[in-house]
Amino acid sequence: TKIDNSDVQKDLDRVKRDIDKSQKSIAESESAKLPLVKQAEQLKTKLHEARQELAFFKEEQASAQAAMQIGSSLEDYMAANERLPALNAAVDEQRRKVDGLEKEWTQVNSKITQYNQKIAQAQGNLDKQKAKAGELSKQLSKGSANMSGAMEKAQKSAEKIKKRLASIVSQVFVFTL
């Protein structure tokens, strides 16, 4: 039984190291993702403002084009004819700005999605490792009661990480909407 317990203890120690690595990986991924989430929020705000400005320029452009139609006064036609090139340029420039912000926002959200997938995969591995550690702990507890405290500590630590991960993922999900 001592030889069996020794092997089980070695396996349990290995699984604990794997759990620590997984927890560290999750924490590092969360930390790396946080600046991207903030950047996505800022880009979303800038994009909203840029779209509003584009809509304004388009309205002005449409108004100038309407003033150049048959039936408009000569003064309205001349004023619109004078403003229209600047409005066309403003619309084109603003459209490029919106397109650039959309592209950047999409890229940032793609990176956030990659981190979310990496975190979810690491969490899945962590759950498997915890289950394995639980099994090994049960095997070992038949011969030694001392290991149960360490296993509970590892499981509590893993649960804390899991709750924190769920909170962060829900926050990111809300902001991407």
Side-chain angles (χ1 to χ4, degrees), residues 56-68 75-91:
F56 171 77
F57 285 136
K58 283 183 174 183
E59 287 176 20
E60 289 294 312
Q61 183 184 41
S63 174
Q65 288 171 342
M68 294 178 67
E75 289 175 6
D76 289 344
Y77 178 86
M78 295 301 286
N81 190 39
E82 198 173 300
R83 286 184 1 192
L84 194 57
L87 287 171
N88 288 340
V91 166

Side-chain angles (χ1 to χ4, degrees), residues 1-174:
T1 308
K2 279 197 168 204
I3 293 174
D4 290 342
N5 281 346
S6 175
D7 290 341
V8 172
Q9 182 63 48
K10 286 178 185 177
D11 287 345
L12 182 59
D13 291 342
R14 181 187 48 80
V15 170
K16 282 182 180 180
R17 285 190 303 274
D18 291 345
I19 287 172
D20 289 341
K21 287 178 187 176
S22 293
Q23 289 173 336
K24 184 177 178 182
S25 173
I26 290 170
E28 287 173 354
S29 293
E30 289 173 355
S31 294
K33 183 178 76 171
L34 224 68
L36 291 174
V37 171
K38 289 180 182 179
Q39 184 181 2
E41 292 170 20
Q42 292 170 347
L43 285 171
K44 185 177 180 180
T45 301
K46 287 180 182 179
L47 185 57
H48 179 71
E49 292 169 358
R51 284 179 178 159
Q52 286 180 329
E53 196 170 333
L54 178 60
F56 171 77
F57 285 136
K58 283 183 174 183
E59 287 176 20
E60 289 294 312
Q61 183 184 41
S63 174
Q65 288 171 342
M68 294 178 67
Q69 299 299 316
I70 297 176
S72 298
S73 70
L74 182 60
E75 289 175 6
D76 289 344
Y77 178 86
M78 295 301 286
N81 190 39
E82 198 173 300
R83 286 184 1 192
L84 194 57
L87 287 171
N88 288 340
V91 166
D92 290 343
E93 182 179 332
Q94 195 63 26
R95 186 173 289 128
R96 283 191 298 274
K97 184 177 179 181
V98 167
D99 290 345
L101 287 170
E102 284 175 344
K103 182 179 178 182
E104 189 176 353
W105 185 78
T106 300
Q107 289 171 343
V108 169
N109 276 314
S110 176
K111 290 178 184 177
I112 291 171
T113 300
Q114 289 173 355
Y115 275 112
N116 286 342
Q117 290 171 346
K118 183 178 178 181
I119 290 168
Q121 183 178 6
Q123 187 63 45
N125 290 339
L126 181 61
D127 291 343
K128 290 176 186 175
Q129 292 164 346
K130 287 178 4 186
K132 178 74 172 174
E135 292 172 17
L136 293 171
S137 180
K138 286 179 185 177
Q139 288 177 8
L140 195 58
S141 69
K142 293 177 184 175
S144 171
N146 293 339
M147 291 307 296
S148 64
M151 193 59 232
E152 288 177 10
K153 184 178 177 183
Q155 287 178 335
K156 286 180 184 178
S157 177
E159 284 299 319
K160 286 180 185 178
I161 294 289
K162 184 177 180 181
K163 287 179 184 178
R164 183 168 178 235
L165 173 66
S167 171
I168 288 174
V169 168
S170 68
Q171 290 172 355
V172 168
F173 181 71
V174 168

